[in-house]
Amino acid sequence: MKQNLLEIHKELSKLGIEKTVQSHTTLIEYGEMANKLFLIQKGGIVMLHVHPKTAIERAINFFIPEFHPIASIAAPYYLEKPSEYRLKTFTNTTFIEIKKVDFDTFLKSSDYSEQMMDYGIKSLLEKNEIRAKLISYTSEEMLRYIHEKLPQILQNIPSKYVANFLGITPQWFSRLKQNL
């Protein structure tokens, strides 16, 4: 399966335009009608939920080459609804920007379309599992889960975003991390 993912990644890289952007660059803004995917080559992107009344942002997902390397926001992409989220880089990031029309054509004509759909479904299931744990686990339990099952997050995502994802302060995150 890993070989197939490398081949799919190579094919997807041909569909769009490679871009390199600075840290903290917004790729999709709250309220935007976005119809693009970002295939991350280097660096990373954080998805932030923006509370509609307070405008307070909370990290809800991360995209790095080693963990969910395809970033987008589903509602504007599939349902043509304004985004309730913001996608932004947390470090200097290189990605392939792929337009929806090009990705749709790829899915209709590629030998990898079935594997791509399978990968997408597995990614969504994994995201749902993580969010369910985030709701039910304490911050310490969730950090332990991330440490054991998703170490690439702790290795590649800035602590302030992981703390925000867990709903705790960076100081409390630092204390919990020492107990791992």
Side-chain angles (χ1 to χ4, degrees):
M1 182 66 173
K2 185 153 178 105
Q3 183 61 28
N4 277 352
L5 287 177
L6 291 173
E7 291 170 18
I8 291 170
H9 192 282
K10 190 175 174 181
E11 289 299 309
L12 289 175
S13 295
K14 297 175 187 176
L15 297 179
I17 300 168
E18 183 175 300
K19 295 183 178 183
T20 299
V21 299
Q22 299 288 319
S23 181
H24 306 295
T25 299
T26 297
L27 303 175
I28 297 177
E29 184 59 80
Y30 174 74
E32 184 178 340
M33 297 293 293
N35 60 354
K36 51 193 165 187
L37 300 171
F38 304 95
L39 176 63
I40 301 160
Q41 308 286 316
K42 181 180 174 190
I45 297 172
V46 60
M47 180 186 285
L48 301 157
H49 177 263
V50 182
H51 191 283
K53 291 182 181 173
T54 65
I56 294 173
E57 295 182 321
R58 178 137 182 216
I60 64 163
N61 204 358
F62 307 106
F63 304 91
I64 55 177
E66 306 84 4
F67 180 76
H68 298 169
I70 300 173
S72 190
I73 300 177
Y77 188 83
Y78 289 109
L79 305 176
E80 298 181 15
K81 292 183 175 183
S83 177
E84 294 183 15
Y85 307 96
R86 176 177 291 129
L87 273 187
K88 77 176 193 178
T89 60
F90 56 77
T91 188
N92 295 344
T93 302
T94 301
F95 54 82
I96 307 295
E97 183 175 306
I98 304 169
K99 293 179 184 176
K100 184 178 188 314
V101 66
D102 296 328
F103 185 69
D104 289 347
T105 300
F106 168 80
L107 288 178
K108 290 176 185 169
S109 63
S110 173
D111 293 338
Y112 297 109
S113 60
E114 189 174 316
Q115 290 97 332
M116 189 67 221
M117 296 299 278
D118 186 55
Y119 171 76
I121 290 169
K122 286 178 181 176
S123 292
L124 286 173
L125 292 171
E126 185 176 45
K127 289 174 192 178
N128 283 343
E129 181 180 339
I130 292 167
R131 288 185 183 133
K133 286 175 176 33
L134 187 61
I135 291 168
S136 61
Y137 283 12
T138 65
S139 53
E140 187 172 0
E141 291 169 329
M142 190 65 193
L143 181 57
R144 190 164 307 285
Y145 172 80
I146 292 169
H147 176 72
E148 292 171 4
K149 303 290 185 185
L150 305 167
Q152 63 273 44
I153 289 176
L154 295 177
Q155 294 163 1
N156 295 288
I157 311 295
S159 294
K160 74 176 191 173
Y161 289 113
V162 179
N164 182 267
F165 177 75
L166 296 173
I168 59 177
T169 65
Q171 296 80 6
W172 185 245
F173 176 74
S174 181
R175 288 184 189 154
L176 289 178
K177 209 170 156 185
Q178 289 174 357
N179 294 334
L180 290 178

